[in-house]
Amino acid sequence: MNDVSKQLHFIEPASVDPDPGETAEWREALLSLAFSQGPARARQILDELARLARQQRIGWQPELNTPYVNTIAVEDQPAFPGDLAVEERLASLMRWNALAMVVRANQAYGELGGHIASYASAADLFETGFNHFFRAGRQGDLVFFQPHSAPGVYARAFLEGHLSEADLLHYRQEITAPAGGARGLSSYPHPWLMPDFWQFPTGSMGIGPISSIYHARFMRYLTHRNLQNCEGRKVWGVFGDGEMDEPESMCALTLAAREKLDNLVWVVNCNLQRLDGPVRGNGRIIDELEKLFAGAGWNVIKLVWGSDWDGLFARDTTGALVRAFAHTVDGQMQTFAAKDGRFNRDNFFGQNEELARLAQGMTDEQIDRLKRGGHDLVKIHAAYAAAAAHTGQPTVILAHTKKGYGMGSAGQGRMTTHSQKKFEGADLIEFRNRFSLPLTDEQATGLEFFKPADDSAEMRYLREHRERLGGALPRRETACAVVPVPAIDTYATFALKADGKEMSTTMAFVRMLGGLLKDAQLGPRIVPIVADEARTFGMANLFKQVGIYSSVGQRYAPEDIGSVLSYREALDGQILEEGISEAGAIASWTAAATSYSVHGLAMLPFYIYYSMFGFQRVGDAIWAAADQRARGFLLGATSGRTTLGGEGLQHQDGSSHLVAATIPNCKAYDPAFAGELAVIVDAGMREMLVEQQDVFYYVTLMNENYAQPDLPEGVATDVLKGGYRFGQFGPEGATERVTLLGSGAIFTEVLKAAVQLADDGVGVDVFSITSWSELARDGVAHAADAHLTRLLAQSTGPVVAATDYVRGVPESVRAFVPEGRAFHTLGTDGFGRSDTRAALRAHFQVDADSIVRQAKAALARA
């Protein structure tokens, strides 16, 4: 049988063939063409036939799935550049130390938890990267680690000497570790908890994948704007197949393909299991993901079978293996992983005579040790090398593994394996034997960590390969140059001395931003980000000033090309216009906000958006950014429940400040006036760029135009602390006095109420509250000397507080109101709805009349 005829047997007809002879001729003709003139010519003919089929409206398009075999053929594999035996021994040691760490923690404290099975499946994927591909350092690669595999990363850091045995003994014991002279190891990658170790938080499923895409795109942005050359650097992400169900994992795939991010490589660990069982028990997740990624425009590399299968495929002249795999769903594949060689001989190879013949001459143990592709270092290296060399597309490697690989009867491939963290003595010895670990029975059952001698072949190999790739990884660095911030009067005098001019705080911010962009030193570091609402927020004037970033420039003449505010895209454009994707925009903001640590280049992102679509919509991503120690501004525009009149329930924000207050390194402000906003922006820039503090600012902005007063002299410090005395209304010697507090959009209603009360003979002290959460934090920190307590000491009478947010926001400061003073709060609890601002404020009882009624009722009770 010639080579062409052999190939024909591997292709199974899709349906009943009315003329097998003619079909065979077509198939043999194509294969002859490929063998004689090469794959490129064969693709050219296929493309031509596809075009012809479309012209004739035949209704055919090629399948996106390929056979369940490796994408990279044996003959195309590069030579393995390392010492395979040493690398396998090292991988076995990582597995053991990771297992010992988790099991010891749970023997000592049964409540600590921890995961072994995910790393057991991914260990070889990690080790190949560590030994040959993952470059460290500021000009190295970015690596996103599968979170449940963190114990394996700690195990490698232990062998490299970056973590001690005492550290490993304090896994998931971050509070008690210092007393033991150790550092506690966080459950998953958390830069906030291990700021010199982890770079990227991936513990919340889906956040790592989308973040990796936008980090890869941000590296292109830095290069195209000539801020830093990121060419040659890669973003690697190791993620789980079950994690691909998260919408955040999938929502930016087309962006990565559209931007041709060939600096991005995903490795999806397809161990076929989620937390409770199969990912797709009745289907094949690798097939599903292949279709999804290929359809999105990614380069797909399937890494399905290990080298031991090569001989079986070579002997399989009839295509029996490919046909068997095509009819084996993942639920059955999981069973094969959980059972021994005998079971697999009877139930897989025993399906028909062709398969049985292939298994002849193999022992049950050999069948049991047939590796899936994700456990074969040679195959993994070939896939990684192909991915690293590929150009023009992002690449995904779909790596077939076994969850709990090597855990034997204690957990390999079992439904319960994800939560497996307890091992009996026999299980530990079985694990020791499976990986030929240099441990005695006593050492194995005693869960002793093992570290080879410094001069051993393994340790020398480990050090040499990491030194060649730039040193330790993961490693987080924070040193970066200070970025000077211009004096506030160079860009915000109009706001500080507004002289009653009418404007919205949104427009004031945009005007400040325009001024800051012109600063020679700070301007280039600013990253304006919008989720397709730039015109809504009055930012259209920036289109011409700094342009919208596009990796291909502008290939069209925009319809408004002759206008003053025409749309302009450019390779060196500064604005990141992310389309209608808040998840994408916040991922983009995070990439810019962490550039100081990832790239050693401080950038200052300003992401402006409808405030309702921030913490409520992408709060988990904001929390992850906080974990990553982001530095930047989030601007919640059209904020509050009554400032956005006609839009209705899902657009009206009444709770973002409540959520923002829960994030420790988020400073949240709700300024009423442009002068307050200017002080806040100035302080934030200095705190983040000059003092280099790990904080970020959330500032709410309004689209309502009203008269802007000058900022009173000497109140800037109080503005930043959360509030200041705005003024006094009413007769000087009034016997009845009341104190009014307000913030943001409702402060104008507070001022109207103060005038009404004054007209009725009531003395009124008015305080502008710029941040309820900062007042609450100050109160907790300083107790009796709280800033709010000192402020209110300047006034008398009951206190009424009003905001455009739920009452829980002003209620957060109740404990710091001076003793004996009644405290009443007004807010916008409930669902929003459409109407005029006046009607909405009356409905929620936060308008001037409602504030007056509450004040008079409080005075009557007093």
Side-chain angles (χ1 to χ4, degrees):
M1 185 179 288
N2 61 35
D3 289 338
V4 173
S5 299
K6 286 181 182 178
Q7 290 288 334
L8 294 177
H9 287 286
F10 283 90
I11 305 171
E12 191 173 19
S15 58
V16 176
D17 191 340
D19 192 344
E22 182 183 28
T23 303
E25 289 177 10
W26 277 92
R27 291 160 68 182
E28 188 156 356
L30 178 63
L31 288 170
S32 295
L33 178 69
F35 287 139
S36 63
Q37 298 188 42
R41 176 60 176 157
R43 286 194 297 270
Q44 187 178 30
I45 293 299
L46 287 171
D47 288 340
E48 180 59 33
L49 289 174
R51 277 192 292 271
L52 183 61
R54 285 193 295 271
Q55 289 174 4
Q56 298 300 313
R57 300 183 184 276
I58 291 174
W60 172 88
Q61 60 183 22
E63 276 285 330
L64 291 175
N65 274 134
T66 58
Y68 206 71
V69 296
N70 295 339
T71 300
I72 300 172
V74 179
E75 56 270 22
D76 296 328
Q77 286 179 197
F80 185 71
D83 187 320
L84 187 58
V86 172
E87 290 195 27
E88 287 181 339
R89 290 199 296 273
L90 281 170
S92 297
L93 291 177
M94 307 301 176
R95 281 192 170 91
W96 171 258
N97 287 328
L99 178 147
M101 178 177 63
V102 174
V103 175
R104 287 183 74 139
N106 281 279
Q107 283 184 347
Y109 308 97
E111 64 193 276
L112 289 178
H115 302 279
I116 301 166
S118 291
Y119 176 68
S121 66
D124 299 300
L125 300 174
F126 283 150
E127 284 305 298
T128 303
F130 276 123
N131 287 324
H132 301 283
F133 294 94
F134 299 164
R135 295 179 303 149
R138 281 285 176 75
Q139 294 305 308
D141 298 335
L142 282 55
V143 184
F144 289 75
F145 292 97
Q146 189 178 12
H148 290 117
S149 296
V153 182
Y154 294 141
R156 171 170 263 270
F158 167 61
L159 286 196
E160 291 179 352
H162 307 301
L163 295 177
S164 68
E165 184 170 324
D167 297 333
L168 264 58
L169 288 170
H170 287 86
Y171 172 62
R172 291 194 170 191
Q173 299 162 64
E174 295 161 83
I175 297 172
T176 56
R183 68 183 300 177
L185 304 183
S186 59
S187 53
Y188 307 120
H190 293 300
W192 188 265
L193 301 172
M194 298 179 70
D196 61 341
F197 191 86
W198 294 115
Q199 275 191 299
F200 307 108
T202 55
S204 184
M205 299 289 101
I207 301 298
I210 189 173
S211 185
S212 72
I213 291 174
Y214 280 88
H215 270 282
R217 202 279 299 267
F218 188 70
M219 288 162 67
R220 289 285 171 82
Y221 173 87
L222 292 177
T223 300
H224 289 156
R225 290 194 55 222
N226 296 313
L227 293 169
Q228 185 177 98
N229 186 354
C230 296
E231 292 179 0
R233 300 172 64 191
K234 294 285 186 184
V235 178
W236 297 84
V238 183
F239 308 118
D241 49 357
E243 188 174 5
M244 294 299 105
D245 284 343
E246 290 284 4
E248 292 88 351
S249 298
M250 297 287 103
C251 69
L253 294 187
T254 53
L255 176 137
R258 184 172 70 247
E259 296 289 305
K260 297 180 172 57
L261 297 180
D262 50 19
N263 61 341
L264 176 66
V265 179
W266 279 13
V267 182
V268 180
N269 177 18
C270 297
N271 59 33
L272 315 186
Q273 288 187 242
R274 291 189 303 237
L275 311 188
D276 294 330
V279 178
R280 296 287 184 273
N282 296 305
R284 284 182 296 279
I285 187 62
I286 289 179
D287 284 352
E288 181 181 324
L289 293 178
E290 181 184 24
K291 277 187 178 181
L292 185 65
F293 281 93
W298 286 51
N299 173 44
V300 180
I301 297 175
K302 288 164 73 170
L303 173 59
V304 187
W305 306 111
S307 300
D308 293 339
W309 288 89
D310 290 341
L312 293 173
F313 280 113
R315 296 201 305 271
D316 181 16
T317 58
T318 65
L321 280 173
V322 173
R323 288 194 297 274
F325 293 143
H327 294 95
T328 304
V329 296
D330 285 354
Q332 188 61 47
M333 200 69 78
Q334 180 191 13
T335 301
F336 292 145
K339 302 297 183 180
D340 60 14
R342 188 58 184 172
F343 180 90
N344 284 288
R345 179 191 296 279
D346 293 341
N347 292 275
F348 179 75
F349 289 104
Q351 292 180 73
N352 55 56
E353 290 185 7
E354 293 169 301
L355 291 174
R357 280 196 299 270
L358 290 176
Q360 284 178 357
M362 297 179 69
T363 66
D364 290 345
E365 184 180 6
Q366 286 175 317
I367 291 175
D368 190 47
R369 285 178 174 261
L370 284 170
K371 289 180 179 177
R372 296 182 181 178
H375 301 305
D376 188 306
L377 298 177
V378 174
K379 297 290 186 183
I380 298 169
H381 181 274
Y384 282 18
H390 188 76
T391 59
Q393 292 172 289
T395 294
V396 62
I397 297 169
L398 303 176
H400 194 196
T401 65
K402 294 180 182 179
K403 193 159 188 176
Y405 178 65
M407 290 168 61
S409 58
Q412 180 172 286
R414 297 189 178 276
M415 297 289 191
T416 58
T417 191
H418 185 77
S419 300
Q420 185 67 37
K421 55 187 69 70
K422 295 180 181 179
F423 284 73
E424 302 299 330
D427 298 325
L428 294 168
I429 289 173
E430 182 184 354
F431 190 94
R432 187 267 321 263
N433 294 341
R434 172 68 180 79
F435 292 105
S436 304
L437 293 160
L439 300 168
T440 66
D441 287 358
E442 290 75 22
Q443 288 174 318
T445 55
L447 291 166
E448 290 189 20
F449 297 121
F450 186 85
K451 189 174 186 178
D454 280 346
D455 62 349
S456 66
E458 291 83 2
M459 294 299 284
R460 289 199 307 272
Y461 190 93
L462 187 77
R463 288 192 297 268
E464 288 169 5
H465 278 70
R466 282 318 309 162
E467 287 168 8
R468 193 180 306 153
L469 291 168
L473 190 104
R475 180 176 74 229
R476 183 177 179 274
E477 301 176 67
T478 59
C480 70
V482 166
V483 179
V485 174
I488 191 171
D489 57 6
T490 64
Y491 63 90
T493 298
F494 78 93
L496 299 171
K497 298 178 181 179
D499 194 28
K501 183 178 180 181
E502 286 203 356
M503 70 182 91
S504 68
T505 52
T506 296
M507 290 311 301
F509 162 72
V510 173
R511 187 171 170 183
M512 289 179 211
L513 182 63
L516 290 169
L517 284 165
K518 294 174 184 176
D519 184 79
Q521 293 178 292
L522 175 62
R525 303 296 186 91
I526 291 175
V527 185
I529 302 172
V530 288
D532 202 41
E533 290 284 3
R535 295 186 191 277
T536 301
F537 304 134
M539 295 174 66
N541 62 308
L542 298 181
F543 292 167
K544 271 198 172 179
Q545 181 181 338
V546 294
I548 298 163
Y549 171 70
S550 166
S551 61
V552 296
Q554 191 161 31
R555 296 173 172 174
Y556 61 93
E559 61 83 20
D560 60 353
I561 194 167
S563 71
V564 177
L565 304 179
S566 63
Y567 201 78
R568 183 174 78 88
E569 298 186 70
L571 187 66
D572 61 350
Q574 199 159 344
I575 301 169
L576 289 174
E577 213 282 50
E578 301 297 3
I580 305 175
S581 173
E582 286 84 5
I586 193 65
S588 194
W589 179 84
T590 302
T594 56
S595 177
Y596 74 94
S597 65
V598 176
H599 306 294
L601 183 75
M603 303 293 286
L604 185 66
F606 290 88
Y607 169 31
I608 184 168
Y609 56 91
Y610 271 46
S611 65
M612 187 63 173
F613 304 140
F615 288 87
Q616 296 87 341
R617 185 158 192 157
V618 289
D620 192 20
I622 296 174
W623 185 262
D627 187 353
Q628 201 173 329
R629 298 173 175 257
R631 300 173 185 172
F633 286 91
L634 297 175
L635 290 310
T638 59
S639 70
R641 186 147 283 162
T642 68
T643 191
L644 189 61
E647 295 282 4
L649 187 152
Q650 284 192 291
H651 282 67
Q652 293 171 341
D653 166 29
S655 57
S656 65
H657 274 283
L658 198 63
V659 183
T662 67
I663 301 179
N665 54 338
C666 174
K667 291 191 171 184
Y669 289 92
D670 185 32
F673 298 123
E676 297 170 356
L677 173 64
V679 168
I680 292 163
V681 170
D682 178 71
M685 291 191 298
R686 296 181 189 282
E687 191 170 10
M688 292 182 276
L689 295 177
V690 179
E691 299 170 24
Q692 298 191 355
Q693 298 297 309
D694 294 341
V695 297
F696 65 98
Y697 278 54
Y698 173 57
V699 186
T700 41
L701 306 173
M702 279 72 70
N703 65 335
E704 183 178 359
N705 291 321
Y706 48 77
Q708 300 284 337
D710 292 354
L711 186 73
E713 292 291 332
V715 302
T717 299
D718 284 354
V719 166
L720 298 174
K721 287 184 176 179
Y724 66 96
R725 184 188 178 96
F726 182 84
Q728 194 174 69
F729 298 75
E732 191 68 34
T735 56
E736 287 189 311
R737 300 201 65 81
V738 67
T739 298
L740 301 183
L741 312 182
S743 70
I746 298 304
F747 193 68
T748 56
E749 300 294 326
V750 170
L751 293 179
K752 292 175 190 174
V755 172
Q756 290 182 35
L757 288 166
D759 289 344
D760 291 341
V762 178
V764 186
D765 294 289
V766 176
F767 294 83
S768 177
I769 303 303
T770 51
S771 176
W772 301 96
S773 55
E774 286 300 296
L775 287 178
R777 289 172 180 174
D778 173 82
V780 171
H782 298 102
D785 194 34
H787 179 62
L788 181 61
T789 307
R790 284 187 279 107
L791 276 182
L792 294 180
Q794 303 172 38
S795 67
T796 59
V799 181
V800 178
T803 79
D804 213 9
Y805 297 88
V806 295
R807 291 176 60 247
V809 173
E811 281 290 336
S812 65
V813 304
R814 177 179 289 276
F816 313 111
V817 174
E819 192 173 349
R821 302 275 295 277
F823 184 59
H824 305 277
T825 56
L826 300 176
T828 54
D829 295 65
F831 286 117
R833 57 208 68 203
S834 299
D835 216 306
T836 64
R837 290 191 185 106
L840 287 167
R841 288 168 183 171
H843 170 79
F844 285 108
Q845 298 183 14
V846 292
D847 63 338
D849 290 344
S850 299
I851 296 169
V852 169
R853 284 196 301 272
Q854 182 64 69
K856 289 185 174 180
L859 287 169
R861 283 194 292 272

